[in-house]
Amino acid sequence: MEKKTSQEVWERARRIKMLIMDVDGVLTDGCIILGSKGEELKNFYVQDGQGIDLARRKGLILVLVSGRRSKVVERRAEELKISEVYQGVSLKIEVYHKVLKKYGLKNEEVAYIGDDLGDIPPLRKAGLALAPANGVEGVKGIVHYVTRGPGGKGAVREVIDMILKAKEA
Amino acid sequence: MEKKTSQEVWERARRIKMLIMDVDGVLTDGCIILGSKGEELKNFYVQDGQGIDLARRKGLILVLVSGRRSKVVERRAEELKISEVYQGVSLKIEVYHKVLKKYGLKNEEVAYIGDDLGDIPPLRKAGLALAPANGVEGVKGIVHYVTRGPGGKGAVREVIDMILKAKEA
Amino acid sequence: MEKKTSQEVWERARRIKMLIMDVDGVLTDGCIILGSKGEELKNFYVQDGQGIDLARRKGLILVLVSGRRSKVVERRAEELKISEVYQGVSLKIEVYHKVLKKYGLKNEEVAYIGDDLGDIPPLRKAGLALAPANGVEGVKGIVHYVTRGPGGKGAVREVIDMILKAKEA
Amino acid sequence: MEKKTSQEVWERARRIKMLIMDVDGVLTDGCIILGSKGEELKNFYVQDGQGIDLARRKGLILVLVSGRRSKVVERRAEELKISEVYQGVSLKIEVYHKVLKKYGLKNEEVAYIGDDLGDIPPLRKAGLALAPANGVEGVKGIVHYVTRGPGGKGAVREVIDMILKAKEA
């Protein structure tokens, strides 16, 4: 998959009806914060949340998919009113196929953002493949667009702003 | 609204009697830290707190306004002795009008600092409209001044230092 | 107080027998982390702790002074075996005079590191006055040396390494 | 020990069968997060965890060694299925010798990554000596390779990727 020009990214963004997001390193900064009393915490970002809120109201279907499993992700998903949440997923491509089928969507109608090797199979399928600035090299090398901001600090907001602008243009 | 020269910003700062502050991304770094045991945490900054303390003692009226709702904000407000705290606000412009009326102030006597789209209506009214370095483009493009430091790491202190200096000059 | 050349800083460092440290923004990154369940957290840095451990073993007297009051500081002080801990201090200069008297030290034998306006009175007295990179301008302008690293990320380690090297030379 | 060319680092990486990792400042960002209710937290990084998972499956022996002692490290080790965990270690060189003997390995088969002075003795022995970008100068000056990323934000992943690539080449 070769790098696309910004015009091509724009064309791809216009067709998007669903955004599938990896969680750690994308919707968070990748920190796994562990405490001595068994607690686990994650850093989300208020501007990403505002973007997700806007996307939802504009009718974009939002999906979270994570290789790990954490109550924190459930809490954040509830807060953002995202109902499609898949955790403890070993093969993300299976979730990818499942949600496309459920909503009757084609690859070109789906954007996927992920930061690590486990995200490569769905990234190779998605109509718009995205990585945050902090993505590993193997992932950043195959996507259509790498966000300027890092995960958990605006990467998701940047993606949503791009998709909504492209669709409104 | 076109960008003002620093002289104009200074003139605007001299007239300020009230500073209204958005919370997430302004008084904090925008991180929404969620834990597996139901806890929510926010990062505030000690130097911002010192600035607020100084501003209060110099007679500046301080107001917090947040689209979200969190006990943490109440705690920080108590610590900083800020009594005007409005949370879970969907239309910030309503709070803006309410506090101006309550204190009998005109637009030119009010400074407002915010980082996201929901802050735009009051930013368009305030005599001194401010955004932190981490504000979204749509907001940074319409304010009189963008702080050098980001929210939760000195943006509020920078604003207070500017207002107090302008008033003392 | 004019800026000193590095030779002068070195000469000052050689005479130091006590290091007085502000806490928030110096031994921490200045974050006041507040939680919805009443918890308060602070970020300390492992390399600063190692430096303090080394300084203690070399016989340097270590003092913590904070304008705020927090159980967290007590915990960190215990861990680092610092017994001179003063919290909730409104006038830091009083603690400064008190510890100098207690240990029979002169100004030139004392180093003080602080980041905000409340630290200025003791900084004006100390034989070696220091600020972390994140110090406010009013403080960085009057000290003998501003560390390259910020508070809570190596500022204290840098100071201790400098003092110990100067004393051993 | 003089700096090695990247060819030499590569040759050293090819022979590695065991990776010994310091914890604070290497597998974490060095933050010691303390709370008012007795909690202690650490920041780990999801991409480092993915790298460790990959390394384990490729047969690399993984060891954690820490001068401090924390339940959090036990939790992260369990999650990453690392069974060789040594905490509260005052002389890391003793753990170094112990694990080499236990697995019948020679110095040239062992990589060690550490950030502070206590790591120097094992770093002087290991076939591949590594420091994260945030390592203290005294450590960065004696290792074969300093990672581009800091501890707790990709340093360990970078090391594992390098070792696995060198071994597969």
Side-chain angles (χ1 to χ4, degrees):
Chain A
M1 195 186 294
E2 52 189 272
K3 280 282 171 229
K4 304 296 166 186
T5 66
S6 57
Q7 181 58 34
E8 280 178 281
V9 171
W10 196 257
E11 288 300 326
R12 287 172 178 276
R14 286 183 59 186
R15 300 187 210 107
I16 298 308
K17 292 181 180 170
M18 172 185 278
L19 172 61
I20 307 177
M21 294 167 273
D22 177 28
V23 178
D24 291 293
V26 172
L27 211 57
T28 80
D29 58 1
C31 278
I32 307 286
I33 312 174
L34 299 180
S36 53
K37 304 197 165 179
E39 63 274 54
E40 176 173 354
L41 299 104
K42 289 183 194 293
N43 294 322
F44 297 94
Y45 192 50
V46 68
Q47 292 179 4
D48 288 337
Q50 296 280 350
I52 285 172
D53 204 50
L54 197 61
R56 195 173 31 76
R57 282 186 279 135
K58 295 277 183 181
L60 208 66
I61 303 163
L62 298 160
V63 180
L64 297 187
V65 57
S66 174
R68 291 171 56 97
R69 186 178 288 281
S70 163
K71 276 191 188 169
V72 175
V73 175
E74 282 172 42
R75 279 184 66 198
R76 184 62 173 163
E78 265 176 49
E79 203 173 60
L80 298 172
K81 295 171 190 156
I82 299 176
S83 51
E84 296 289 348
V85 182
Y86 300 86
Q87 294 201 76
V89 174
S90 48
L91 292 174
K92 289 174 176 174
I93 190 71
E94 291 180 359
V95 168
Y96 178 88
H97 288 310
K98 185 175 173 179
V99 290
L100 264 72
K101 195 174 173 192
K102 179 171 176 182
Y103 289 91
L105 296 176
K106 286 176 283 186
N107 286 324
E108 57 262 41
E109 293 169 322
V110 177
Y112 187 103
I113 179 166
D115 73 322
D116 211 336
L117 304 182
D119 300 301
I120 289 180
L123 284 170
R124 288 202 184 277
K125 287 283 180 188
L128 180 59
L130 306 142
N134 55 297
V136 299
E137 291 309 315
V139 167
K140 291 201 287 188
I142 65 149
V143 296
H144 301 112
Y145 182 75
V146 176
T147 66
R148 277 166 296 136
K153 275 283 172 179
V156 163
R157 175 63 172 268
E158 193 180 330
V159 164
I160 288 170
D161 282 353
M162 182 172 71
I163 292 172
L164 295 185
K165 259 192 199 163
K167 292 179 79 77
E168 282 164 14
Chain B
M1 195 186 296
E2 52 188 271
K3 281 283 171 229
K4 304 296 167 186
T5 65
S6 57
Q7 180 59 33
E8 281 178 281
V9 171
W10 197 256
E11 289 299 326
R12 287 172 177 275
R14 287 183 59 185
R15 299 187 211 107
I16 299 307
K17 292 181 179 169
M18 173 186 277
L19 172 61
I20 307 177
M21 294 167 273
D22 178 27
V23 177
D24 291 295
V26 172
L27 211 56
T28 80
D29 58 2
C31 278
I32 306 287
I33 312 175
L34 299 180
S36 53
K37 304 197 166 177
E39 62 275 53
E40 175 174 353
L41 299 103
K42 288 183 192 295
N43 294 322
F44 297 95
Y45 192 49
V46 68
Q47 292 178 4
D48 288 338
Q50 296 280 350
I52 285 171
D53 204 51
L54 197 61
R56 194 172 32 75
R57 283 187 278 135
K58 294 278 184 180
L60 209 66
I61 303 163
L62 298 160
V63 180
L64 297 187
V65 57
S66 174
R68 291 170 56 95
R69 186 178 288 282
S70 163
K71 276 191 189 170
V72 176
V73 175
E74 283 171 42
R75 279 184 66 197
R76 184 62 173 163
E78 266 175 49
E79 203 173 58
L80 297 173
K81 294 171 190 157
I82 299 177
S83 51
E84 295 289 348
V85 182
Y86 300 86
Q87 294 201 76
V89 174
S90 48
L91 293 174
K92 290 174 176 174
I93 189 71
E94 292 181 0
V95 168
Y96 178 88
H97 288 310
K98 185 175 173 180
V99 291
L100 264 72
K101 194 174 173 193
K102 179 171 175 182
Y103 289 91
L105 296 177
K106 287 176 283 187
N107 286 324
E108 57 261 41
E109 294 169 323
V110 177
Y112 186 102
I113 179 165
D115 72 322
D116 211 336
L117 304 182
D119 299 301
I120 289 180
L123 284 169
R124 287 201 185 278
K125 287 284 181 189
L128 180 60
L130 305 143
N134 55 297
V136 300
E137 291 309 316
V139 167
K140 291 201 286 188
I142 64 149
V143 296
H144 301 112
Y145 182 74
V146 176
T147 65
R148 277 166 294 136
K153 276 283 171 181
V156 164
R157 174 65 172 268
E158 192 179 331
V159 164
I160 288 171
D161 282 353
M162 183 172 69
I163 293 172
L164 295 185
K165 259 191 199 164
K167 292 178 80 75
E168 282 165 13
Chain C
M1 197 186 294
E2 51 188 91
K3 280 281 171 231
K4 304 297 167 186
T5 66
S6 57
Q7 180 59 33
E8 280 178 282
V9 171
W10 196 257
E11 289 300 326
R12 286 171 179 277
R14 285 183 61 185
R15 300 187 210 106
I16 299 307
K17 293 181 179 168
M18 173 185 278
L19 172 60
I20 306 176
M21 294 167 273
D22 177 27
V23 177
D24 291 295
V26 171
L27 211 55
T28 81
D29 58 2
C31 278
I32 307 287
I33 312 174
L34 298 180
S36 53
K37 304 199 164 176
E39 63 273 53
E40 176 174 353
L41 299 103
K42 289 184 192 295
N43 294 323
F44 297 94
Y45 193 49
V46 67
Q47 292 178 5
D48 288 338
Q50 296 281 349
I52 285 172
D53 204 49
L54 197 61
R56 195 173 32 74
R57 282 187 278 135
K58 294 278 184 180
L60 209 65
I61 302 163
L62 298 159
V63 180
L64 297 186
V65 56
S66 175
R68 289 171 58 96
R69 186 178 289 280
S70 164
K71 276 191 190 172
V72 176
V73 175
E74 282 171 43
R75 279 185 66 199
R76 184 62 172 162
E78 265 175 50
E79 203 173 59
L80 297 173
K81 295 171 190 156
I82 299 177
S83 51
E84 296 289 347
V85 182
Y86 300 86
Q87 294 201 76
V89 173
S90 49
L91 292 175
K92 289 174 177 174
I93 190 72
E94 292 181 358
V95 168
Y96 178 88
H97 287 311
K98 185 175 172 178
V99 291
L100 263 72
K101 193 173 173 193
K102 179 170 174 181
Y103 288 91
L105 295 176
K106 286 176 283 184
N107 286 323
E108 57 260 42
E109 293 169 322
V110 177
Y112 186 104
I113 179 165
D115 73 322
D116 212 335
L117 304 182
D119 299 301
I120 290 180
L123 284 169
R124 288 202 184 277
K125 287 283 180 188
L128 181 59
L130 305 143
N134 55 297
V136 299
E137 291 309 316
V139 166
K140 291 201 285 188
I142 64 148
V143 296
H144 300 112
Y145 183 74
V146 177
T147 66
R148 278 166 294 137
K153 275 282 171 181
V156 164
R157 175 63 172 267
E158 192 180 330
V159 164
I160 287 172
D161 282 352
M162 182 173 69
I163 293 172
L164 295 185
K165 259 192 199 164
K167 291 178 80 75
E168 281 165 14
Chain D
M1 196 185 294
E2 52 187 271
K3 281 282 172 231
K4 305 296 167 187
T5 66
S6 57
Q7 181 58 35
E8 280 177 282
V9 170
W10 196 258
E11 288 300 327
R12 286 172 178 276
R14 287 183 59 185
R15 297 187 212 108
I16 299 307
K17 293 181 178 169
M18 172 186 278
L19 172 60
I20 306 176
M21 294 167 272
D22 178 28
V23 178
D24 291 294
V26 171
L27 211 56
T28 81
D29 58 2
C31 279
I32 307 286
I33 312 174
L34 299 180
S36 54
K37 303 197 166 178
E39 62 274 53
E40 176 173 353
L41 299 102
K42 289 184 193 293
N43 294 323
F44 297 94
Y45 193 49
V46 68
Q47 292 178 4
D48 288 337
Q50 296 280 348
I52 285 171
D53 204 49
L54 197 61
R56 195 173 32 74
R57 283 187 278 135
K58 294 278 184 180
L60 209 65
I61 303 163
L62 298 160
V63 180
L64 297 187
V65 56
S66 175
R68 289 171 58 95
R69 186 180 290 280
S70 164
K71 275 191 189 172
V72 176
V73 175
E74 283 171 42
R75 279 185 66 198
R76 184 62 172 162
E78 265 175 49
E79 203 174 59
L80 297 172
K81 295 171 191 156
I82 299 177
S83 51
E84 296 289 349
V85 182
Y86 300 85
Q87 294 201 76
V89 173
S90 48
L91 293 174
K92 289 174 176 174
I93 190 71
E94 291 181 359
V95 168
Y96 179 88
H97 288 310
K98 185 176 172 178
V99 290
L100 263 72
K101 193 173 173 193
K102 179 170 175 182
Y103 288 91
L105 296 176
K106 285 176 284 184
N107 287 325
E108 58 261 41
E109 293 168 323
V110 177
Y112 186 104
I113 179 165
D115 73 323
D116 211 335
L117 304 184
D119 299 300
I120 290 180
L123 284 169
R124 288 202 183 277
K125 287 283 180 188
L128 181 59
L130 305 143
N134 55 298
V136 299
E137 292 308 316
V139 166
K140 290 202 286 188
I142 65 150
V143 296
H144 300 113
Y145 183 74
V146 176
T147 66
R148 276 166 297 137
K153 275 282 172 181
V156 163
R157 175 63 171 268
E158 192 180 332
V159 164
I160 287 171
D161 282 354
M162 182 173 71
I163 292 172
L164 295 185
K165 259 193 199 163
K167 291 178 80 76
E168 282 165 13

